[in-house]
Amino acid sequence: MIDDVRTNTRETILGGDATEGSLLAVGASAATLAATILVFLFRPAIAVPMVGAFIFVTALGWVTYQAEIARLLTLIATVLTVLTVTFITIFLFASAFPAFVEHGLGLLLVPIQGGEVRWFFWLDAVLPTSTSYWNPAGGAYSLIPAIWGTVMVTLIAGAIAGPLGLFGALFIAEVASDGLREIIKPGVEVLAGIPSIVYGFIGFQVLNGFVQQSFLDDGASFLIAGVVVGVMALPTVVSVGEDALSSVPDAMGDGSIAMGATRWQTMKSISIPAAFSGISAGVILGLGRAIGETMAVAAIMAAGVGLANPLFDVFDASATLTSLIAVNYGSASESTVDVLFVAGVMLFVIVAGMSVVSQYIERQMREKLRGEA
Amino acid sequence: MSEGYATETTLVNAESNVYDRGLDAAIGLSVLTFALGMVTLVDAVPLSASGAALGESLGLILAVVVGGVGIVGVSSWANVTPVESQRVRGIALGLVVSTLGLTVLAYAVPVTLATLLGLTLVVEAVAVAVAGVASRVETVDTSPNTSAGLLAGVVFGALGLTLGAAIGGSLVGFDSPAWVAVALGAGLVLSALTVLPREDVGSTIPAALVVGTLGLTIATAVVGVGWQWNPQSLSGGFTGGAVIPIFVLVGAILSSWSAAKCRAGFGARGREFGAFLVINLNVFLMVAVMATIVVFVTVKGVGYALHGFTIGALSALVLLAPLLVVVVNAARTPAGTDDWHTGARQLFRLLPLAAVGSVAAVLLSVLVTGDRLAYPFTYSVQVNRAQQSLDTAIAVTPEPTVGSLLLVAPALLLSVYFFRTYGSLRNVGSRVGWAETIRQTLPLAVAGTVALTGLFLLVGPRPLGLPLGGTLGVAVVVLAAVAAVVLAALPLAGVLAGEGTLADRAQDRATLFTLGVFGSLALLTSALFLQATATVTPSVGPVNVVPGVALAGAVAASAATALVAYAKRQSGETLQRRLLGEEIALGLTGVAGFLTLLGLHVAVTKVSFTVLGVSVANAGTLSWPMTMQTYIPLGTEPGGILPAVVGTVWLVTGATLFAVPLGVGAAVFLTEYAEQGRFTALVEIATNALWSTPSIVFGLFGAAFLIPRLGGDESLLAGMLVLGFMLLPLVLITSREAVKSVPDEYRDASAALGVSQWETIKSVVLPAAMPGVITGVILGVGRIAGETAPLILVLGSTLNATESAQVLDGFRFTAQPPFVANDALLSASASLPTQVWAVIAAGVSGSPSMGWASAFVLLLVVLTFYAVGITARTYFRRKLTHE
């Protein structure tokens, strides 16, 4: 049993055919690295010389046992990557934990305004209510307005990015000629690169004035933020949707065409149903983008934390989970920071969950198509 | 499929008649209305415009349409891009006619744009209804199905519901429940009208009803320009300015869909035409929105961003050199088929080359005549919260000076490029005894110089008080330079002297070419670095030795290259021509390499080099205040955002240095060494999830974990690490994809040769995966370069930074641990994205024009990364599939 473990470990670190010399080289290198990490954690002051020692030992090993050292280095890279990822996740949850313990459901206070509990999907039956729902001095932190702001922005963004994205994906995958596709597809990908702060600046400078004029609003609103975020998420939806449509085996479409169906009939009855899960994965990914979008929202909407009144008032404005963090972190007290971490954890869980779901859907689809092709 | 389809289209075309012509015009009109709807939505033309003002705007659109249709028509006529479809021709014609009609109407009748658009919608509704009825009574030959289908029924039901709600609400008020009944009724009626009758009625009459209602509402000014609806319960409201364009867009899409169905004779083909037209219009909308964003930021920011931009004509010429190579390559790619219109295509391929030539000629004329070439314009700056206009100009100056770095960058690029095009000249030409001797002694000489350089680097130029640097150093440098100039002259001498034709001589002396170019480059490079460490710059008269030799070498190499190129033209043998081609590539490598050394010398010694009035200097002639100056607090000119540019460069560098080794290493381990199973799948899912995690969450982590451990203040290092965390998943994902996509045959073949696993990875897998990895890194860097949210948490944002981070000069060695310190890394810095955010956060005291300019520079940086990454990917993919 112990021998098994030893052989396994040895094989993971060294690979199958290792000699004693390589064992020494790799062992020395790994040991210095471990020492470096320990020193960094407990006596960070002398970490730099330890790094030097590690580099020296590894370089020595590289000259003599290159293959084994290379393998070790890639293993170290993997371990460090995994550790970084795990550590970030754990740190987030650990930092949010005090606020969870302290406030509990108090993080979801349903506001009381004008002497009445605001209607929030009958949730006031379960959730606590309060007239002061965001008051860092008084220790009242309700994330409900920010959550609702995120939901509103995401809904509007989805309403824009979903249909337009589907049309765009269909166009690139099925309608456009080869030449046109070679221009538009990279073009859409390049547009996915426009930084969100640029969208935010446009919204801040131009669109807010437009809304005041055309929608009699006082500027910042869910509508504009949602539209801008929808446009931002559009390239993502188009790219992923197009990939899904293109991964439908040609044979399926050809079969339909051979039966005398038109291209539209083929698209409607073959391509879209076959790629449906992939397209929805794209939409989910795009929505994830929209939920996580910070700068455009923060630039367009003020940082107020009022719950939209009435609930579906698209012309109202409030901070979303992301802009709440961005705008408040700099001036936040310690207990507020804990609450902001709760917001961060919520975002992390929701978006990571959406990503996992969309990956699952995509994998299912690919397996199904492989089976049928 | 396309064959049979084309014939059928031709058959239909043969009996093309009034019905078809009319519907083509209706589709054209709808497309125009759609475009006008978009134009009015962004208020580019006010809805209240009428008379001459409206006529002018429409005239502009007419010009655009006529120009667009005209160029396509001409190329179609000339058979460059043949357009055979009767429908496309008809719609194009309809577009021109309807634009012309609207323009004339605008001048003739005093109506506002809103009314005009309303009337247009009514006309479209009538046209569609007439077409539907004509098809139903079988005046025209169509093939409709029994029903327009459930999907259309649902869509029209929803439309009817909305319309009914609006009409009912405004008639009886939203308070009484009657409006619900009206809404439901309208929805049901429209839905039934769509689904129940035959397709030709079902897909025209409901559309005509909806479009007609929308049109009449606008035309009769029920919803006019000044219309407002401001419900009490909402904090905003609706105005005609927003509602009319939306009505017009919906109406235009509906009528074009319906008209397209009629045009294609309903049935399966009609549905296809209708659906495709709607998809095309939507994509048109999408592309227009996206393009508008980029163009808008450019227009707003380019003036400020380019204020005071000047460049010396010579510098511009140097920068043109790589471009020249690119366009020459583009022009050389083989022309398509032997069709008779290849000539036209060839012309298009040659156009860029011609353009580069023209620009070069203009720059040369500036150099020769000494006249400044300037484009003056004004830009606005913010002084005391008020906008103020300043005069400035973009100029090309006639100074015959080129900056050293400006010379090194393109020259190095070109020498690497030419070296890569150069294959091999091994075993070509006859061997010469003395050349062999030189070839054997050269490495020794270079190694000796390098060793001396190392010595000086370790003990300084004056070890033990002996002036070794001033004596031995100078002697070696001069000796190496003399040897280099002799070597550089070898190819030229070899081609000129001797017997036989020029081509034969050139081929015979191939050994002299390799020896001359590589030998002299190596010697001169080692001499250059020896100079720097020995701190000497030997010179003959006013001319420094090393750059003088470099120039001589460049001249000799270009002369030899020119001769070989001439010989290649004369030569008839294919093999000989190929070998001479290799020699040309080698010669060009030499020219670019010598020029690189020349620039490097100036950069290292900081002594400018002047020959015949042309000089290479450290202070170049390129001046771009926006990116090369810091903010000037009290000047008339505002200066630029150099600190932000420098900050972004360091952030990106740091993040890349952190993420790329880790990501690529992990990808290699996970794909090549680790067993594919639960663990790798889990890592994959986790990295994907991390990739889509909101960036602000990373910022939160950085601010709460990194900053307290890195000095407790916002710092550049924390920014680098946070961006590195964000980059890591993408590098890992793309590298894994790249490594995975290397075919297993490669690995098997390598293993079959007895090559070990690591050797296989090193020399087979990694080189094959490299393009994918590099592309992924470039795209990832493009994304993090524009990332703002985490940076405002860990880096802060400064509005008008006057100091840029001096990271390289910031390194200090200290006596106590940790022995290395860098204050620049541990203090806050500006960066491009946070610069834009600072303008927003500053409110009224932020200068919008500066914000636009910063946004423009940021956009330029990020989109360049993306464009380069995507081009590289396309290029490598194409190369892979062709092999």
Side-chain angles (χ1 to χ4, degrees), chain B residues 307-479:
Chain B
H307 76 262
F309 182 92
T310 58
I311 185 168
L314 193 64
S315 310
L317 274 175
V318 170
L319 287 181
L320 220 50
L323 197 63
L324 181 70
V325 173
V326 171
V327 291
V328 165
N329 265 345
R332 271 160 57 113
T333 34
T337 50
D338 267 346
D339 289 343
W340 68 271
H341 55 265
T342 322
R345 295 196 175 167
Q346 186 94 45
L347 201 64
F348 279 109
R349 220 191 321 276
L350 287 175
L351 267 182
L353 184 59
V356 169
S358 319
V359 174
V362 170
L363 292 174
L364 272 178
S365 80
V366 170
L367 263 184
V368 171
T369 59
D371 288 331
R372 211 169 104 104
L373 200 67
Y375 169 72
F377 60 96
T378 60
Y379 70 109
S380 64
V381 293
Q382 177 125 328
V383 181
N384 296 329
R385 302 195 172 177
Q387 294 285 315
Q388 192 183 331
S389 228
L390 284 185
D391 288 319
T392 185
I394 302 176
V396 179
T397 58
E399 294 160 83
T401 307
V402 57
S404 52
L405 291 180
L406 204 70
L407 176 64
V408 170
L412 192 63
L413 203 70
L414 284 183
S415 64
V416 170
Y417 170 78
F418 285 126
F419 182 65
R420 286 195 65 96
T421 28
Y422 161 73
S424 166
L425 280 172
R426 190 172 294 186
N427 297 334
V428 179
S430 55
R431 283 166 183 271
V432 192
W434 51 267
E436 287 300 307
T437 323
I438 299 180
R439 189 189 294 279
Q440 278 154 12
T441 44
L442 252 181
L444 287 179
V446 173
T449 326
V450 171
L452 201 58
T453 312
L455 182 75
F456 284 135
L457 197 65
L458 283 179
V459 296
R462 294 175 67 89
L464 311 171
L466 294 174
L468 270 189
T471 53
L472 185 63
V474 171
V476 174
V477 168
V478 171
L479 219 61

Side-chain angles (χ1 to χ4, degrees), chain B residues 248-263:
Chain B
V248 171
L249 284 178
V250 173
I253 288 184
L254 276 182
S255 66
S256 61
W257 171 77
S258 187
K261 276 189 100 167
C262 300
R263 172 65 176 86

